[in-house]
Amino acid sequence: MSSPVHPVDPTPVPPGAPAAPADGAGAVHPVDESRPRGRILLFGVQHVLVMAATPISAIFLMSATLRLSPGTTVDLLSAALLLSGIGSLVQSLGPWKFGPRLPLVMLPGGAPLILFLSIAQQHGLRTATGAVLLTAAFTFLVLPLFSRLLRFFPPLVIGTMIVIVGVNLVKVGALLVTGQPGTPRFADPARLGLAFATIALIVVFTRLLRGVLRQLAVLLGLAAGTALAFALGQVHPGSALSGRLVGLPRPFPFGAPVFDLLAALPLLLYTLASMAEATGQTVINAEAVGKDIDVRTDVPRTVRGDALTSLLGGCFGLPLMVTSGENIGIVRVTGVRSRYVTAAAGVVLVVLGFVTPVARAVSVMPPAVVGGAAMVVFAVITVLGVQMLGRARLQDHTATVTCAVALALGLLPILVPGVYSGFPPGVRILLESGVAVGALVAAVLNVVFHHPARHTADTATVVPADAPGPAARV
């Protein structure tokens, strides 16, 4: 089933505006619209500056936890930026059957990183690398089965999952500002003030600027916030100029991988949750850019892109790479929907993977500034989830109960860290993934309250014909 087309829009649609009507038979949808290379590059850099903190912090966490040498840390940082760029290119450009051709980016970190560190501490880094490679291959094997289950993920389920994703990401951004509870200078007023100033600058730029400059409000806010931090003595750029100029990622930095199915089991189980999250990321991204998609074909393309990038990343010692929702907020805030922007971000990340001083310069940006901007764009994701739930017939009592129970159980491990610390490790790994729990609970309750025989008919009418935004066909 083909996607409808939309007339070319010479200017980006403001955030929150409905998708353009499909009344031009040969028109190009804004997501497929090319723009002047200079603008695309600027918009791509804006994406990179918001998302760069994730791969950098992920590698620094790996280095600190596993006590890696400085040389290995630099190699892994180079590989993380390089593979984030390659993955973003795959998801944005969609070669062959890989990538949904939507403005998506890929990053390491999150639950896959924690599982990787756990396996490495228990069984060694070579076994952790083997677990990543096994999981990537396993994803390709189980994808056909998962594709058949996608009909159990209507907008009610996906909208609930996206709200949980958004809340979780806002927390991630907030922790960049405050630091971890119990650490020195936790919630330092100076860092909070810098974050609030960055948010205020983004609001001011959004209010006062017009055209391209307004679309770059997040980038300008990051730059102005960093300049303010430098004036206050909170930026020390000297470290960005040290070290070698070019860094080439080293294949298998920990040695030949060791394949142990039992050790890899936590990652193999996580794959099922990861595919459910990829479903939500694909649908909400299509929602943000106003493009109609077919879940049965586009979600598998996203998952294949994840698996391919993870397979390549495993060869360079990285944890699983996953499609991220971090950039969706920027798409909605700026109104720039072209997938070539995230492709440009991918190219920038590939360059950063080789030019180590530039990567270090990005890492010099104060976490409070990045966190302040991230909180804004991540909160937009939550809003998009709420908008999707608004079209899921929440006036139906069973739908309300489904959403409420899924939100309660999905947000529990996010709002109360360590709540499942008394459970066995294998069970705890799954329960502590709030997104996976929320998606599973919502999907199960949706089946319980709606007989499978009615399900197909229900999903065909979940999105009313006059509702704004695209309908994701399942």
Side-chain angles (χ1 to χ4, degrees), residues 95-153:
W96 196 47
K97 296 183 179 181
F98 296 90
R101 298 181 180 177
L102 290 168
L104 289 163
V105 297
M106 290 196 66
L107 297 170
L113 172 62
I114 302 303
L115 295 176
F116 179 90
L117 295 178
S118 176
I119 296 171
Q121 289 176 321
Q122 294 180 35
H123 305 280
L125 279 163
R126 294 170 61 194
T127 303
T129 298
V132 171
L133 298 176
L134 283 173
T135 303
F138 176 72
T139 301
F140 284 114
L141 290 176
V142 301
L143 181 56
L145 173 62
F146 178 78
S147 299
R148 296 183 180 183
L149 301 177
L150 285 174
R151 66 191 185 94
F152 297 107
F153 289 83

Side-chain angles (χ1 to χ4, degrees), residues 265-299:
L265 186 60
L267 269 181
L268 295 175
L269 292 175
Y270 174 79
T271 298
L272 302 177
S274 178
M275 288 190 287
E277 187 168 352
T279 302
Q281 301 288 16
T282 305
V283 171
I284 202 63
N285 190 284
E287 177 82 9
V289 300
K291 185 174 183 179
D292 185 35
I293 64 170
D294 188 337
V295 172
R296 291 167 297 184
T297 58
D298 289 296
V299 168

Side-chain angles (χ1 to χ4, degrees), residues 151-177:
R151 66 191 185 94
F152 297 107
F153 289 83
L156 174 63
V157 175
I158 295 176
T160 302
M161 183 166 55
I162 293 304
V163 170
I164 298 173
V165 168
V167 172
N168 189 43
L169 286 175
V170 170
K171 180 182 177 180
V172 171
L175 288 175
L176 283 175
V177 176

Side-chain angles (χ1 to χ4, degrees), residues 58 67 124 130-131 183 218 220 234 267 322 405-406 440-441 448 453 473:
R67 299 181 181 179
T183 58
V218 176
L220 295 174
Q234 297 187 34
L267 269 181
V322 295
V405 173
L440 178 62
V441 171
V448 168
R473 298 186 299 277

Side-chain angles (χ1 to χ4, degrees), residues 178-189:
T178 64
Q180 293 291 338
T183 58
R185 298 186 63 192
F186 169 70
D188 182 8

Side-chain angles (χ1 to χ4, degrees), residues 197-461:
T198 302
I199 294 172
L201 287 166
I202 292 174
V203 173
V204 169
F205 291 141
T206 302
R207 176 66 181 85
L208 298 181
L209 300 179
R210 295 290 183 271
V212 175
L213 290 178
R214 185 176 187 177
Q215 296 158 3
L216 293 170
V218 176
L219 174 61
L220 295 174
L222 286 166
T226 302
L228 176 61
F230 180 80
L232 296 174
Q234 297 187 34
V235 175
H236 306 285
S239 61
L241 304 178
S242 61
R244 63 181 189 265
L245 178 63
V246 177
L248 300 176
R250 181 160 49 102
F252 299 110
F254 310 124
V258 174
F259 299 102
D260 185 330
L261 278 174
L262 186 61
L265 186 60
L267 269 181
L268 295 175
L269 292 175
Y270 174 79
T271 298
L272 302 177
S274 178
M275 288 190 287
E277 187 168 352
T279 302
Q281 301 288 16
T282 305
V283 171
I284 202 63
N285 190 284
E287 177 82 9
V289 300
K291 185 174 183 179
D292 185 35
I293 64 170
D294 188 337
V295 172
R296 291 167 297 184
T297 58
D298 289 296
V299 168
R301 292 177 68 97
T302 302
V303 175
R304 288 191 203 101
D306 285 359
L308 176 64
T309 309
S310 294
L311 194 63
L312 295 174
C315 295
F316 291 95
L318 296 176
L320 286 178
M321 304 287 294
V322 295
T323 295
S324 172
E326 294 192 6
N327 72 307
I328 299 174
I330 303 178
V331 171
R332 195 57 181 260
V333 168
T334 63
V336 180
R337 300 183 276 174
S338 173
R339 59 191 172 97
Y340 295 107
V341 169
T342 46
V347 172
V348 172
L349 285 166
V350 169
V351 173
L352 291 180
F354 291 108
V355 185
T356 55
V358 177
R360 291 191 181 95
V362 173
S363 69
V364 165
M365 188 177 296
V369 172
V370 177
M375 287 170 62
V376 175
V377 297
F378 294 169
V380 172
I381 298 172
T382 306
V383 174
L384 292 174
V386 172
Q387 287 180 342
M388 182 172 288
L389 287 175
R391 298 200 301 273
R393 299 185 191 172
L394 286 182
Q395 67 272 20
D396 182 347
H397 180 67
T398 58
T400 301
V401 171
T402 298
C403 181
V405 173
L407 284 176
L409 297 181
L411 292 175
L412 180 59
I414 297 172
L415 301 177
V416 188
V419 64
Y420 298 118
S421 58
F423 285 69
V427 177
R428 189 171 67 245
I429 288 171
L430 296 178
L431 292 178
E432 288 180 347
S433 175
V435 176
V437 170
L440 178 62
V441 171
V444 170
L445 291 181
N446 181 67
V447 173
V448 168
F449 287 125
H450 302 89
H451 191 276
R454 291 176 50 204
H455 186 80
T456 302
D458 286 346
T459 55
T461 58

